[in-house]
Amino acid sequence: MNYNDIIGTIGVGLILIAYFLNIFSFIEKDGEFYFLMNIIGASLACYASLLINYKPFIILEGTWAIVSIFGFLKVLKK
C-alpha cells in the first residue's frame, strides 16, 4: 500500500465512520464531531485524489469538505 492509498483510506474511513455513528444515533447529525470527521475525512480523501490526479473525486471530496465546513460554522454560530 502506498502513501496516497493510506491517506485516502483514512479519509474515506473517517467519512464512513461518521456516517455509521450518525445512522445509529451515536452522534448527532448536526453536531460538531460529525462535521469535523467529515471535514478531515473529505480533505484527506481529496488530497489523496490530488496525488493521483483523479479529478472526479477531487471535485466530490473537495465539495464534501467545503459543505461540511459550512455546516460546522453554522453549528458554531448556534
Side-chain angles (χ1 to χ4, degrees):
M1 189 177 270
N2 57 29
Y3 176 73
N4 54 305
D5 288 336
I6 294 168
I7 297 298
T9 301
I10 293 169
V12 171
L14 284 171
I15 294 169
L16 292 174
I17 291 168
Y19 182 71
F20 174 85
L21 293 173
N22 173 36
I23 291 298
F24 291 99
S25 300
F26 292 112
I27 60 174
E28 295 179 20
K29 68 177 179 178
D30 294 332
E32 293 175 15
F33 188 62
Y34 179 72
F35 286 112
L36 283 174
M37 288 183 72
N38 275 286
I39 292 166
I40 295 167
S43 296
L44 289 172
C46 184
Y47 176 62
S49 298
L50 278 167
L51 292 174
I52 62 171
N53 197 31
Y54 192 62
K55 289 178 181 65
F57 277 93
I58 294 169
I59 294 166
L60 173 67
E61 300 300 348
T63 302
W64 193 294
I66 291 167
V67 169
S68 295
I69 289 168
F70 281 111
F72 181 70
L73 293 174
K74 184 179 174 183
V75 168
L76 289 180
K77 287 182 181 181
K78 287 184 179 179

